[in-house]
Amino acid sequence: MIDSLASPVEDRMPTHVSTFVDALVFARGYTIELLDTIPAVDWFTMPAGCPSHVAWQVGHLAMAEARLVVERIGGRQVVDEGILPAEYLKLYGRQSIPDPNAGNHPSPTELRGVFDHVHEVALPILRETLDADLDTVVPGSPHRFCRTKADYARWVSHHEFLHSGQIGLIRRLMGNRFVW
């Protein structure tokens, strides 16, 4: 499994952008490794005392990567362009509250499909960003931690790891062994 998380070896000097890409690829590899250990039937389980479930975490990560990279760095409209379903903004946005009723969410298969699709769109956008553009201030709604493209490029991998940790905790609270 470690090989799947290894950073790509490149023949060129690393750039800031390549460092951000490597961090996001590494974080996503870890998230997928965790998700692959959780049966779809458990994605809406909210263990006692836990305010979230795996499905919400996956939907939130898809929504966040779309907003942080595709919109803020790439300047694209994620809903208008069909990259992210509009209901994800409400279901999995910053102010949303995880609902354990599976009927109120897309299925785990649909969630995983959007999660994977957003990442497939986001990575080329991030890879094609020039180091010279990283200091560009991103217009629009302010973010607690981010002002520039570099801030968003850095935060997206940190944010992914934060929620991977929550996925890991949820699966442990469901009685699963740790993934090492």
Side-chain angles (χ1 to χ4, degrees):
M1 291 297 167
I2 287 292
D3 291 339
S4 68
L5 297 179
S7 296
V9 176
E10 302 198 23
D11 292 333
R12 60 184 170 78
M13 288 292 293
T15 63
H16 292 294
V17 168
S18 68
T19 300
F20 295 142
V21 169
D22 288 351
L24 181 56
V25 167
F26 185 85
R28 179 54 57 99
Y30 183 70
T31 303
I32 289 170
E33 207 173 297
L34 289 173
L35 292 176
D36 287 348
T37 69
I38 305 168
V41 69
D42 291 335
W43 275 37
F44 294 97
T45 300
M46 291 176 76
C50 183
S52 190
H53 50 71
V54 172
W56 186 90
Q57 298 294 325
V58 172
H60 180 73
L61 283 170
M63 182 280 311
E65 185 175 34
R67 302 291 309 275
L68 296 170
V69 177
V70 180
E71 278 189 5
R72 303 272 169 61
I73 295 173
R76 295 177 60 184
Q77 299 300 311
V78 294
V79 172
D80 294 348
E81 294 183 36
I83 297 164
L84 185 76
E87 68 267 16
Y88 277 54
L89 298 176
K90 182 178 180 188
L91 288 171
Y92 309 113
R94 186 178 44 169
Q95 300 296 329
S96 66
I97 298 172
D99 176 355
N101 183 342
N104 294 333
H105 296 272
S107 71
T109 300
E110 292 172 87
L111 283 162
R112 181 64 188 264
V114 170
F115 174 78
D116 292 340
H117 175 69
V118 167
H119 193 63
E120 289 168 7
V121 172
L123 276 180
I125 288 171
L126 191 53
R127 283 185 176 116
E128 292 166 10
T129 301
L130 302 174
D131 275 0
D133 293 336
L134 290 173
D135 290 332
T136 302
V137 174
V138 177
S141 62
H143 186 279
R144 181 175 175 197
F145 302 119
C146 305
R147 269 184 0 95
T148 66
K149 288 185 178 189
D151 295 336
Y152 286 101
R154 181 179 304 107
W155 175 241
V156 70
S157 65
H158 295 340
H159 180 263
E160 177 104 10
F161 265 129
L162 183 150
H163 287 281
S164 290
Q166 293 179 37
I167 291 167
L169 178 60
I170 292 167
R171 61 179 300 289
R172 291 297 307 277
L173 289 170
M174 290 190 291
N176 296 297
R177 290 183 44 85
F178 60 86
V179 173
W180 178 248

